[in-house]
Amino acid sequence: MATGFDFGGRVVIVTGVGRVGQIGHAVAEGFGRAGAKLVISDLNAVGVATRAQEFKAQGIEAVAAAGDLTEPDVAQWIVEQATDNYGRIDVLVNVAGGLTAVGPVTESSHDVFEREMAVNVKTMYLASRAAAQVMVRQRSGAIVSFASVAAFSARPTMAAYSAAKAGVAALTQALALELRDHGIRANAVAPGLVRTADNRASMGDAKVRWVEIADVVHAVMFLASDYAAGITGHVLPVSLGEL
């Protein structure tokens, strides 16, 4: 994936990097090929360890840090893997999350809502808080999170997910205001339906306007790069105009 970005020598944490062909893997690979030193995390310990070994085989520096990011101690530990191995954190990309259930509000349980909030908002909050503490000491850094077009236009049968991604967008804007005086930027991307193997399988034969993974990766890398030095608190749709 040719990106045109240079992250040589920079330390980048990417969450949600357990499986090949999914967005987290593609984001991590994009930064790695642009010269970044990676710390990759996922709930799937075997998957994230395998991804790290694959990256190393490509000449990319990578440390695997498995764990459940809904747990505060895990988020802190993942950040410590970056500082212990590389001494700093330049970029945090909060990919971990996703749609876990679909159905009408009247037929769903409170567990559905709590799960969507935990995997999307809580993981982002905890990872961002832990990384920001390091970035504040450095007086530099960039945080890029994953919202969704559902944050702008709620989808039927996806109420909890829409609310969670709206929370990601709001938290991004709050972080931007709190951290800007410390030289830290916080932005988010809001993809439409991304062409991944899982999404293609779930959509079946439905007619879909797909967003390509590479386009999402490039948007993330732009927001993390010096080209976006004047941008913070922004939620960038990557949706081919679909909102």
Side-chain angles (χ1 to χ4, degrees):
M1 182 188 298
T3 65
F5 295 102
D6 182 4
F7 284 88
R10 300 195 187 186
V11 179
V12 179
I13 299 175
V14 185
T15 69
V17 189
R19 297 168 55 204
V20 172
Q22 296 300 108
I23 296 173
H25 173 262
V27 168
E29 186 174 46
F31 278 102
R33 290 188 175 180
K37 301 174 182 179
L38 301 177
V39 175
I40 56 174
S41 76
D42 198 85
L43 186 61
N44 180 346
V46 173
V48 74
T50 302
R51 301 293 80 76
Q53 290 302 316
E54 292 167 352
F55 287 146
K56 290 175 185 177
Q58 299 176 44
I60 298 170
E61 290 192 53
V63 173
D68 183 354
L69 271 170
T70 64
E71 298 294 333
D73 290 346
V74 171
Q76 189 64 45
W77 176 76
I78 290 170
V79 163
E80 289 171 0
Q81 298 311 296
T83 56
D84 289 350
N85 282 277
Y86 301 127
R88 60 182 296 110
I89 301 168
D90 296 293
V91 179
L92 167 67
V93 186
N94 291 303
V95 184
L99 176 64
T100 66
V102 176
V105 172
T106 54
E107 298 175 13
S108 67
S109 69
H110 70 278
D111 293 338
V112 169
F113 183 82
E114 290 183 353
R115 180 62 182 167
E116 293 286 1
M117 288 294 173
V119 301
N120 289 290
V121 184
K122 189 176 182 181
T123 58
M124 178 225 172
Y125 176 85
L126 293 176
S128 298
R129 182 182 67 173
Q133 290 168 350
V134 175
M135 292 176 177
V136 165
R137 294 196 294 271
Q138 298 171 176
R139 298 199 63 79
S140 67
I143 299 170
V144 184
S145 302
F146 269 70
S148 165
V149 293
F152 306 123
S153 178
R155 270 49 175 174
T157 72
M158 294 168 56
Y161 177 77
S162 297
K165 289 304 188 182
V168 169
L171 183 52
T172 294
Q173 293 164 343
L175 285 171
L177 293 173
E178 288 192 20
L179 299 174
R180 62 185 176 184
D181 290 342
H182 299 282
I184 302 163
R185 298 181 299 106
N187 294 290
V189 292
L193 193 55
V194 182
R195 193 196 303 267
T196 65
D198 285 356
N199 286 344
R200 291 179 66 181
S202 68
M203 296 305 295
D205 296 328
K207 186 177 180 180
V208 174
R209 187 178 295 277
W210 291 107
V211 173
E212 301 301 333
I213 290 180
D215 295 332
V216 178
V217 173
H218 293 159
V220 170
M221 295 181 73
F222 166 70
L223 290 173
S225 76
D226 293 341
Y227 293 116
I231 301 173
T232 192
H234 185 65
V235 182
L236 176 64
V238 188
S239 61
L240 299 173
E242 300 290 334
L243 291 175

